Amino acid sequence: MTEVMRGFRVLEVAEHTFVPAASALLADWGAEVIKIEHVERGDAMRGLMSSGLAMLNTNVHVLLEHSNRGKRSLGLDLTTDEGLDILYRLAGTCDVFLTNKLPEVRSKLKIDLEDIRAHSPDIVYVRGTGQGERGPHADRGSYDALGYWARSGIAMGIKPVDEVQVPNAPPAFGDSIGAMTLAGGIMGALLHRERTGEATEVDVSLLGVGLWSLGAAMALSLQLGFPWGAPAVDSPTGNPLVGIYPTSDGRALSFSCLQAHRYWADAWRCFGQPELGDDDRFATAEAMAANVEEATRLVRSTLATRPAAEWVERLQGFSGQWTLVQDTLEAAADPQSVANGYIQDCATADGIPFQLVAAPIQYGGAPAQPGRAPEFNEHGDAILGEIGLDWDTIVDLKVRGVVA
């Protein structure tokens, strides 16, 4: 793997997943990331294992690992003058400053754009927020389940119209997509700085990423003037070979053959009823459109007669586009996931094995191998030494609670 971010240094003052996962991606690609943590408790994510807010039942905190792999950790009290001075000195050695603190908190801690730029004029300053840097709710805290999932229209957009319950998001779903967006924005800003000499700011919000994720449906919704919503489970899509169809064993197959007429005969060859491939009701695109409800009913009723494994076998030679609808464990074991290294083996500081999803961008024809998340303040003494503090000074700062 080509470490495209090697030589870049990132300073992070952030917690939870959205923003930390962005610098974790940069670390995967070779950047050095220094994570500043609360001097006593560390990143609030560390507490989720004991608070009951996450379903964690092992001694590997995989949520922390996902968003903090490959970093160095320093516990630092930013409410003290000495702690702030250390942060500023570190910023002077870094290319990127990354935070998810709210505007009011950034101002109170003196880590806003002007504060950091006063000590590092060429630094790329990055803000990850819930609802955006401007507007009446800029100072309102958020999580991906709120800004990305609920507020953006995604939750309602994927809820079938015949369902009452709005679905919940998987853990850190929008956070991880937002982190990928942030990482790309940071890399673009660094390229801009290299080409022009100008250090710019980068702003990404969970709401903005949610709107972008729903961008095509949002454009249609705005054009047509009604809210986007998923069709009822049994509603025809207008194309009998586009949709998700249940099988006899409670599984499902997803088809996305955008030219139904082109693939119709081959589909019915695989379904074991080739005569339907020559049926006059579906012989042309116009006939297919006129009989789409019947065509959809036939596909649905046929696929419901056999288990998924049998259909998967029958469809191996199908020329159209389809897949088995998989759960997370099946997706991890998918031969394509395995062949491309999409799931990577890792180990904690204690050597306990676990697995993580690899960075979604590969350079040089190989996946990035994620490192492990740091122990709290694991690199504190070394980081302080690198900015010129001697051991007596470090001990004094520890005694006074400025550093962990």
Side-chain angles (χ1 to χ4, degrees):
M1 203 281 293
T2 305
E3 292 188 318
V4 296
M5 294 300 295
R6 179 167 292 280
F8 290 101
R9 194 168 158 103
V10 179
L11 184 60
E12 172 195 302
V13 179
E15 300 183 281
H16 298 292
T17 302
F18 168 34
V19 171
S23 57
L25 285 171
L26 301 179
D28 277 1
W29 297 324
E32 178 188 356
V33 179
I34 298 174
K35 181 179 182 67
I36 303 300
E37 303 197 52
H38 187 280
V39 71
E40 295 177 351
R41 61 168 170 77
D43 185 329
M45 177 63 74
R46 295 186 185 275
L48 288 185
M49 180 169 269
S50 60
S51 68
L53 294 179
M55 296 182 292
L56 298 167
N57 58 6
T58 73
N59 51 2
V60 181
H61 194 334
V62 290
L63 299 185
L64 181 77
E65 296 285 348
H66 169 68
S67 54
N68 290 286
R69 62 239 227 150
K71 302 180 186 180
R72 306 171 76 198
S73 169
L74 168 64
L76 189 62
D77 187 353
L78 295 180
T79 66
T80 65
D81 291 340
E82 297 98 325
L84 200 55
D85 179 64
I86 290 170
L87 183 79
Y88 290 155
R89 291 172 69 173
L90 285 170
T93 71
C94 290
D95 299 284
V96 178
F97 179 82
L98 182 63
T99 186
N100 63 356
K101 300 299 182 184
L102 295 169
E104 184 178 7
V105 176
R106 296 198 309 263
S107 178
K108 181 179 178 180
L109 290 177
K110 299 179 182 177
I111 60 169
D112 231 329
L113 173 64
E114 297 77 13
D115 303 307
I116 299 299
R117 284 271 174 82
H119 300 273
S120 185
D122 296 327
I123 203 165
V124 171
Y125 189 92
V126 185
R127 296 170 290 225
T129 60
Q131 290 81 222
E133 185 64 15
R134 298 172 297 279
H137 296 159
D139 259 311
R140 179 182 292 182
S142 188
Y143 292 97
D144 72 324
L146 304 177
Y148 178 87
W149 187 254
R151 192 166 185 170
S152 71
I154 290 178
M156 286 293 289
I158 69 168
K159 182 186 78 68
V161 295
D162 56 349
E163 294 287 336
V164 175
Q165 180 64 44
V166 177
N168 288 316
F173 184 61
D175 286 337
S176 297
I177 298 171
M180 186 165 56
T181 307
L182 263 176
I186 291 168
M187 295 168 80
L190 289 170
L191 178 63
H192 176 76
R193 188 184 70 172
E194 178 184 318
R195 290 186 169 181
T196 68
E198 178 190 16
T200 189
E201 306 87 64
V202 177
D203 286 299
V204 175
S205 75
L206 291 168
L207 175 59
V209 174
L211 291 168
W212 171 255
S213 298
L214 202 64
M218 184 67 71
L220 287 170
S221 183
L222 291 169
Q223 183 182 59
L224 298 174
F226 58 82
W228 183 264
V233 172
D234 292 323
S235 296
T237 62
N239 181 332
L241 292 181
V242 170
I244 297 177
Y245 293 101
T247 58
S248 66
D249 56 347
R251 299 299 302 274
L253 297 171
S254 180
F255 289 83
S256 189
C257 304
L258 301 184
Q259 298 170 289
H261 179 260
R262 173 182 174 184
Y263 298 106
W264 184 252
D266 194 28
W268 285 102
R269 176 188 61 80
C270 296
F271 294 162
Q273 299 181 60
E275 67 278 6
L276 284 173
D278 297 324
D279 193 304
D280 289 341
R281 293 173 296 173
F282 318 116
T284 65
E286 294 74 16
M288 179 77 72
N291 294 284
V292 66
E293 290 193 15
E294 177 62 10
T296 301
R297 186 194 67 77
L298 285 169
V299 174
R300 183 176 300 279
S301 61
T302 298
L303 291 174
T305 62
R306 299 178 186 274
E310 183 171 338
W311 288 125
V312 168
E313 182 65 27
R314 284 171 171 258
L315 287 163
Q316 288 307 306
F318 179 45
S319 58
Q321 299 76 41
W322 67 280
T323 187
L324 174 69
V325 178
Q326 300 185 139
D327 63 32
T328 50
L329 295 180
E330 289 172 324
D334 189 303
Q336 287 304 116
S337 299
V338 174
N340 289 281
Y342 293 152
I343 305 295
Q344 290 285 311
D345 293 328
C346 306
T348 66
D350 297 325
I352 302 171
F354 63 97
Q355 292 180 303
L356 290 176
V357 176
I361 300 172
Q362 297 186 3
Y363 297 100
Q369 171 62 53
R372 62 170 177 83
E375 299 292 313
F376 171 58
N377 197 51
E378 179 177 346
H379 309 92
D381 294 350
I383 292 170
L384 295 172
E386 290 165 7
I387 59 171
L389 300 186
D390 59 39
W391 181 240
D392 289 341
T393 301
I394 294 174
V395 170
D396 178 62
L397 292 170
K398 287 176 179 288
V399 170
R400 293 189 290 116
V402 177
V403 301

